[in-house]
């Protein structure tokens, strides 16, 4: 079996793992008395895009204890999540690169996807520090919040970059419908940045990432089927 085929199959397996993680994360408990920042409905997004201590009110005090505990548990699983979603992208780009070794854009996209894993881990480390500070009854300082915001946007920026590269690769391969979810995801992330991390825009962005992530296994299956069809035609 060719290495590129194995990489496509591994990308599909990583896609399945990516779909399993939200189930493992579970549903967050009810919020306490304090709401999340305007526009946010998802606690982890509200935490990632915190701009000031005021935005952390929904996690502070006894009222936020259950949600803090939930997020801490989620974080313990989330360290493996980048290996699934960014690993899926990396394996897909690896497969494209192995099919055409001179295709530098596939190798560049592979590098971006791999760096995304480290960026997500770095973000998680800062989130853990914020949660630990809140659980101890303290308030994260401006430096810690700035670090969280910076690491968050490094991660999202890298995701936007490999989404755009994915779309270019699909366009080059004349699989232009497959290019649409990637460019939509990249533009949604850019719009979130331009909005100053607006809660409403961030929630839309998060929803638009779902079809983009699902495009990887769909594309992998299409490449595998095309290769099989080509071999059958040659044999005939």
């Amino acid at each position: 079996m060719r290495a590129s085929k194995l990489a496509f199959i591994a990308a599909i397996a990583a896609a399945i793992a990516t779909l399993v993680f939200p189930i493992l994360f579970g549903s967050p408990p009810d919020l306490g008395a304090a709401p999340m920042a305007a526009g946010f409905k998802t606690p982890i997004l509200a935490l990632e895009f915190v701009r000031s201590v005021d935005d952390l009110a929904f996690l502070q005090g006894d009222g936020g204890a259950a949600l803090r505990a939930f997020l801490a548990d989620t974080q313990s699983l989330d360290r493996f999540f980048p290996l699934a979603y960014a690993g899926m992208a990396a394996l897909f780009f690896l497969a494209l690169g192995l099919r055409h070794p001179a295709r530098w854009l596939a190798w560049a996209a592979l590098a971006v996807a791999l760096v995304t894993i480290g960026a997500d881990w770095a973000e998680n480390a800062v989130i853990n520090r914020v949660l630990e500070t809140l659980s101890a009854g303290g308030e994260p300082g401006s430096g810690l919040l700035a670090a969280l915001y910076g690491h968050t946007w490094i991660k999202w920026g890298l995701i936007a970059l490999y989404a755009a590269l994915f779309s270019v690769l699909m366009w080059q391969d004349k699989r232009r419908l497959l290019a649409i979810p990637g460019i939509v995801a990249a533009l949604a992330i850019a719009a979130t940045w331009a909005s100053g991390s607006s809660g409403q825009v961030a929630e839309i962005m998060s929803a638009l990432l779902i079809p983009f992530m699902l495009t990887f296994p769909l594309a992998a299956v299409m490449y595998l089927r095309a290769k099989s069809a080509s071999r059958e035609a040659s044999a005939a």
Side-chain angles (χ1 to χ4, degrees):
M1 186 179 291
R2 289 185 57 181
S4 61
K5 184 176 181 180
L6 285 172
F8 278 131
I9 292 171
I12 294 169
I16 294 171
T18 301
L19 293 173
V20 168
F21 268 95
I23 299 172
L24 296 177
F25 290 151
S27 300
D30 293 335
L31 294 177
M36 291 181 281
F40 284 104
K41 297 180 180 178
T42 310
I44 189 60
L45 280 180
L47 177 55
E48 286 183 6
F49 291 109
V50 160
R51 301 301 301 272
S52 69
V53 173
D54 291 341
D55 294 336
L56 286 170
F58 72 104
L59 288 173
Q60 292 178 314
D62 293 338
L67 188 52
R68 287 198 307 272
F70 168 80
L71 290 174
D73 288 342
T74 299
Q75 285 293 104
S76 66
L77 285 172
D78 195 48
R79 56 186 166 170
F80 302 108
F81 188 43
L83 295 173
Y85 81 82
M88 169 185 69
L91 287 163
F92 181 84
F93 295 134
L94 174 63
L96 290 184
L98 290 171
R99 280 166 60 98
H100 303 286
R103 198 174 191 186
W104 66 268
L105 200 60
W107 298 112
L110 168 61
V112 174
L114 290 174
V115 173
T116 302
I117 296 173
D120 199 317
W121 283 340
E123 179 199 42
N124 283 344
V126 183
I127 288 175
N128 289 338
R129 289 173 57 196
V130 170
L131 291 173
E132 288 165 4
T133 301
L134 291 171
S135 294
E139 287 190 347
S142 58
L144 184 56
L145 295 183
L148 173 57
Y149 195 71
H151 282 295
T152 290
W153 270 112
I154 290 171
K155 179 194 76 174
W156 285 109
L158 289 168
I159 293 173
L161 179 54
Y162 78 65
L165 292 173
F166 174 86
S167 293
V168 172
L169 287 163
M170 294 303 97
W171 190 270
Q172 290 177 342
D173 283 357
K174 295 182 170 47
R175 300 180 183 274
R176 290 171 181 171
L177 285 177
L178 294 177
I180 295 173
I183 199 64
V184 168
L187 290 173
I189 294 171
T192 305
W193 168 266
S195 74
S197 304
S198 158
Q200 291 92 338
V201 182
E203 292 287 349
I204 294 171
M205 172 200 73
S206 180
L208 290 174
L209 279 180
I210 296 172
F212 167 56
M213 294 297 179
L214 291 175
T215 307
F216 282 102
L218 174 61
V221 169
M222 292 178 70
Y223 277 100
L224 288 170
R225 290 185 63 184
K227 195 67 176 177
S228 297
S230 176
R231 281 199 301 270
E232 289 173 6
S234 297

